[in-house]
Amino acid sequence: MLSGKTILIGITGGIAAYKICELIRKFKKSGANVKVVCTPNALNFVTKLTLQNLSQNEVYVEEFDVKSWKPEHISLADEADIMLIAPATANTISKIAQGIADNLLTSIACAFRKKMIIAPAMNCNMWNNAAVQKNLSILKSRGIEILEPDSGFLACGYLGKGRLCRLDKIFDAVVEALKCSDKLKGKKVVITSGGTIEDIDPVRYISNYSSGKMGFALANNAADMGAEVVLITTKDFEAPYKIVKVKSALDMQSALDNEFDTSDIIIMAAAVADYRVKEMCAQKIKKGESDVLTLELVKNPDILAGLCERRAHNSLDKPLIVGFCAETENLLQNAKEKINKKGCDFLVANDISRSDIGFSSDDNEVTILDYSGAIIKLDKAPKRVIARKILELISK
Ligand code: CTP
């Protein structure tokens, strides 16, 4: 199942380190090449010899135990298809979140550009510590998958959340990630996200409630599936792929123009403002005597329709173009009209009238229309899951 794949397992100094021996066996049985890197503290809980025998590879601990011209933290990061850190202590989690590279494991994590999964294990009070939670959310925001610990009796005598999650859950997460890791290999995927910002004057603007989360989830998943990703967004995201920060619809259009020729897939998840102020005031608009202020708006270009037109005009067979559509009523009817009008290959329709899905929510429920008229409904799920399903569908 995993032959040809290299899994780099990082073990840190927690009692659950002994459980990883079993996991290494499972990965080996599935055909994976397993490489193990330990923090010096991990060796208080499990021996190097055990890990070496089980992984059938050298076990790496010391950063400056140099054997070749290429430093180990770079070559191990380059060779691996995935990095799993389990168990991950509060200390290692926080160091990785802050970019601290003070041992071999944290240096590799700092240099690692592919899919990373972290399975924390610690005392429940440490797990609930605000700094640890903040650092975990930083890691999540960078697309790192966190397998939350289970609740139960902890080795330290406490009852609470902090036990390393079940080994089969870790195993399945790694297998799932590797299964998808080359579905978009060799493809360049350009994704837009967030609501555009149209300036009125130096202190005011027109925008919308789009959080950019759906586009970010798509970008993270596309990267996990092996694509070269470019995220063009109005929001502040951090990720190991190219991010182009834009503001207005016109900025977004020119960023897309720059990427169009080299892209294989373009996904327009951004909420582009349909209108902008005809002339932005150079100075702050003063209140004045009148009770009414009239702003003259002009139409923004329909970027999605323009991209589809450019592809058709040049008789190109790429990029594949995916639109999103945000509706508060008549979802399917409006979506059908939009896919025809804009000429894209897929349209992902969102009901933004519901507060439990869509804009700024972590969940979504979408209906996907394709150029042939087929309709696929995806049930409510976290945006990460919806994003994966959308990409799997279009990658076919
Ligand atoms: N879109 C675009 N340029 C615009 C407006 C929208 O590229 N000026 C894209 C969006 O990124 C999305 C799709 O078109 O992928 C549909 O956006 P939506 O806001 O649902 O539709 P509109 O075309 O703006 O139509 P309306 O606002 O009338 O529903």
Side-chain angles (χ1 to χ4, degrees):
M1 187 164 46
L2 297 176
S3 78
K5 300 290 182 192
T6 297
I7 303 171
L8 179 61
I9 303 185
I11 304 178
T12 72
I15 179 66
Y18 80 92
K19 298 183 181 175
I20 307 308
C21 299
E22 188 57 37
L23 198 60
I24 295 171
R25 255 169 58 86
K26 271 187 98 172
F27 285 134
K28 286 297 291 178
K29 274 188 177 170
S30 301
N33 176 27
V34 178
K35 296 219 160 173
V36 178
V37 55
C38 291
T39 60
N41 279 340
L43 297 182
N44 290 322
F45 297 93
V46 63
T47 72
K48 204 172 170 183
L49 191 62
T50 310
L51 299 169
Q52 209 158 279
N53 280 338
L54 291 171
S55 68
Q56 295 169 352
N57 266 321
E58 185 184 344
V59 171
Y60 303 86
V61 184
E62 296 304 331
E63 198 163 18
F64 299 106
D65 185 9
V66 185
K67 294 192 181 64
S68 83
W69 68 269
K70 200 169 187 183
E72 231 114 54
H73 65 283
I74 302 299
S75 57
L76 286 167
D78 288 350
E79 279 167 25
D81 295 294
I82 191 165
M83 183 171 188
L84 164 71
I85 304 179
T89 56
N91 184 39
T92 293
I93 287 169
S94 300
K95 284 198 279 193
I96 296 173
Q98 302 303 324
I100 296 170
D102 64 348
N103 60 36
L104 183 59
L105 192 154
T106 49
S107 300
I108 295 171
C110 199
F112 201 72
R113 308 277 296 171
K114 285 169 248 172
K115 172 82 177 179
M116 191 187 294
I117 299 179
I118 293 183
M122 64 195 75
N123 163 270
C124 51
N125 290 337
M126 292 175 84
W127 172 256
N128 290 324
N129 178 284
V132 173
Q133 285 301 318
K134 175 80 190 160
N135 286 327
L136 282 161
S137 68
I138 291 174
L139 295 176
K140 276 190 215 163
S141 75
R142 294 183 192 142
I144 293 172
E145 188 173 343
I146 307 292
L147 300 176
E148 296 230 344
D150 289 337
S151 294
F153 280 107
L154 307 178
C156 52
Y158 276 75
L159 181 65
K161 188 169 178 176
R163 289 163 58 118
L164 182 74
C165 72
R166 291 188 333 270
L167 292 190
D168 58 343
K169 195 174 162 194
I170 303 178
F171 182 81
D172 291 349
V174 171
V175 172
E176 176 61 23
L178 287 172
K179 212 169 67 191
C180 296
S181 65
D182 38 23
K183 281 198 176 153
L184 288 173
K185 210 174 184 152
K187 302 286 177 206
K188 176 170 170 180
V189 181
V190 179
I191 297 164
T192 64
S193 97
T196 63
I197 297 165
E198 312 298 332
D199 283 334
I200 297 172
D201 67 15
V203 292
R204 303 177 179 99
Y205 61 84
I206 299 171
S207 192
N208 56 64
Y209 290 118
S210 170
S211 62
K213 287 181 187 171
M214 191 65 229
F216 187 51
L218 282 160
N220 286 337
N221 270 280
D224 289 347
M225 291 166 82
E228 175 197 344
V229 175
V230 179
L231 177 66
I232 299 173
T233 181
T234 58
K235 302 287 175 185
D236 289 312
F237 291 119
E238 293 170 15
Y241 44 77
K242 180 175 169 187
I243 296 186
V244 182
K245 178 98 191 276
V246 293
K247 196 171 174 189
S248 66
L250 294 179
D251 294 343
M252 187 169 276
Q253 185 184 39
S254 81
L256 277 158
D257 278 345
N258 291 339
E259 306 290 346
F260 184 90
D261 287 337
T262 52
S263 58
D264 296 288
I265 300 174
I266 296 181
I267 305 179
M268 285 290 300
V272 183
D274 289 329
Y275 293 89
R276 67 179 183 278
V277 177
K278 190 174 179 188
E279 257 171 71
M280 183 200 156
C281 293
Q283 305 302 331
K284 184 183 168 207
I285 301 172
K286 302 303 281 179
K287 225 180 351 270
E289 291 302 309
S290 171
D291 285 344
V292 178
L293 171 74
T294 305
L295 292 174
E296 197 176 354
L297 304 181
V298 291
K299 222 179 205 162
N300 267 328
D302 188 322
I303 307 174
L304 176 62
L307 296 173
C308 297
E309 210 175 285
R310 178 167 166 187
R311 182 182 61 176
H313 183 75
N314 295 311
S315 309
L316 302 171
D317 55 5
K318 73 177 191 109
L320 183 117
I321 301 176
V322 182
F324 265 67
C325 103
E327 301 295 343
T328 54
E329 56 181 358
N330 305 328
L331 183 76
L332 212 52
Q333 174 67 27
N334 287 334
K336 278 181 185 164
E337 283 169 18
K338 263 182 205 171
I339 194 169
N340 290 331
K341 202 166 120 197
K342 306 214 181 211
C344 54
D345 305 295
F346 292 89
L347 191 76
V348 183
N350 259 313
D351 180 351
I352 53 161
S353 67
R354 281 172 52 183
S355 60
D356 61 327
I357 55 168
F359 276 10
S360 67
S361 164
D362 286 331
D363 292 333
N364 211 351
E365 181 183 306
V366 299
T367 303
I368 306 172
L369 282 70
D370 80 6
Y371 52 90
S372 70
I375 294 172
I376 301 126
K377 198 165 179 308
L378 300 184
D379 290 337
K380 184 178 165 185
K383 283 182 172 166
R384 171 176 49 83
V385 176
I386 297 282
R388 173 59 58 97
K389 289 187 175 164
I390 292 171
L391 288 166
E392 281 184 350
L393 184 80
I394 63 174
S395 67
K396 282 187 190 147

